[in-house]
Amino acid sequence: MTFETDDRARVTLVPHPFGLRICGEIDRGNRHLLAGALAWALLAGSHDIRLDLSGLTFIDVSGMRLIVVAAARLSADRTLVLDPISPAVRRILALTGWEQAPGLHVCP
């Protein structure tokens, strides 16, 4: 089921394990798609949230910040899991140092 889409990005609900698959490019022009999907996921489940970012070809720092802030908003018994992730995401995480952000788990 596609959660939200535009001409450059697609956010799809993944029921098991609970989370979202994000493909394409996330930047200033469409980060509202990511923000809306993350807000929904924070409220919709009580388990960890898994983000499949393997199809993400580009994400700017503000888009990555949305993910980090969402992870920080989770209760202590929940985690935002990034698995799998694309090289573009891995690079942004390395440049910002956000691999160790509270509530975030980055799979190798």
Side-chain angles (χ1 to χ4, degrees):
M1 170 181 159
T2 300
F3 189 72
E4 295 197 42
T5 189
D6 78 354
D7 61 334
R8 293 177 293 127
R10 183 175 62 248
V11 180
T12 306
L13 171 64
V14 178
H16 186 74
F18 177 74
L20 303 166
R21 179 176 302 117
I22 302 160
C23 300
E25 301 177 359
I26 298 292
D27 60 23
R28 183 175 148 222
N30 67 358
R31 68 176 168 240
H32 65 279
L33 296 175
L34 178 59
L38 288 170
W40 175 85
L42 288 172
L43 297 173
S46 59
H47 302 308
D48 292 347
I49 301 168
R50 182 172 299 268
L51 297 185
D52 177 345
L53 304 178
S54 61
L56 200 57
T57 56
F58 176 81
I59 187 167
D60 65 9
V61 173
S62 64
M64 198 66 229
R65 186 179 304 118
L66 289 172
I67 292 171
V68 171
V69 168
R73 290 179 52 205
L74 289 170
S75 60
D77 61 333
R78 295 177 73 195
T79 304
L80 187 65
V81 180
L82 305 185
D83 182 40
I85 63 174
S86 69
V89 172
R90 195 167 300 280
R91 178 164 167 75
I92 290 288
L93 288 169
L95 289 171
T96 58
W98 284 336
E99 304 104 328
Q100 305 299 318
L104 191 65
H105 176 74
V106 181
C107 291

